[in-house]
Amino acid sequence: MTVIKFSYDVPLDQTMTFEAIYHENLQLDLTEKQDIRDIPGSIFVWMFVDGALAGESYGNPLVADDEPIEGLKHLTDDEKRTGIYCYSNTILPAFQGQGFGAILKSHWLELAAGEGFETVYGHARPGGSQALNAKFGAVFLDSFPDWYGTGEEYRLYRLALR
């Protein structure tokens, strides 16, 4: 039987393995990741499967962003106040394709709803990430060809929590 546990306080230096999954232009260094975690209201969660680190998901309130996020400059103050941006919902390769991404996303969405957020925004990578967000009812708003020089077309999504 598979045992899944969640943790909310993992030392970030132990989570940097997730960065290797992303294109080099999207990888964060430890300081950048810590800066996101330090934002008031940010939500970080890690998933462990049978004791092994398997996934991470995190984001921060839109009102906390110093710079507008690509595609979200048009939001009203109320939409920013009730919205959260999901930076990452990542499963390590050894655990992919087993449904863990949906479990992690569901848990993170419940944490966000529990904190009073009404809407999640994010940019989803083609393939599994877009399919996962669509599974949760995300509406895709805009496409961004060659997102940050990755050569991939990411799509901005909005996911209502209420």
Side-chain angles (χ1 to χ4, degrees), residues 112-153:
E115 291 296 321
F117 293 104
E118 296 176 5
T119 311
V120 174
Y121 295 90
H123 289 84
R125 186 178 190 184
S129 181
Q130 290 179 9
L132 176 65
N133 285 291
K135 177 180 179 176
F136 283 97
V139 174
F140 293 98
L141 306 172
D142 292 313
S143 294
F144 296 87
D146 196 25
W147 179 252
Y148 283 88
T150 62
E152 294 183 299
E153 184 172 330

Side-chain angles (χ1 to χ4, degrees), residues 1 12-13 22 29 33 35 50 57 59 67 69 76 98 111-112 116 118 128 144 148 155-156 158-159 161:
M1 179 167 140
L12 288 183
D13 61 343
Y22 290 96
D29 64 28
K33 203 169 188 178
D35 288 345
D50 294 332
S57 190
E67 299 176 21
I69 294 171
T76 67
Q98 301 173 58
L111 291 171
E118 296 176 5
F144 296 87
Y148 283 88
R155 297 184 69 198
L156 172 65
R158 178 182 62 234
L159 200 159
L161 296 176

Side-chain angles (χ1 to χ4, degrees), residues 42-109:
S42 67
I43 299 173
F44 274 70
V45 62
W46 289 273
M47 179 196 299
F48 289 81
V49 175
D50 294 332
L53 183 61
E56 82 171 352
S57 190
Y58 61 90
N60 64 273
L62 291 176
V63 294
D65 285 315
D66 293 337
E67 299 176 21
I69 294 171
E70 188 84 30
L72 298 179
K73 296 172 186 168
H74 68 284
L75 295 180
T76 67
D77 288 343
D78 189 53
E79 288 170 321
K80 290 177 187 172
R81 184 183 53 75
T82 61
I84 187 167
Y85 185 81
C86 184
Y87 276 95
S88 176
N89 191 82
T90 307
I91 300 295
L92 292 174
F95 298 93
Q96 291 176 0
Q98 301 173 58
F100 295 125
I103 294 168
L104 178 60
K105 183 76 172 193
S106 177
H107 186 72
W108 189 86
L109 292 173

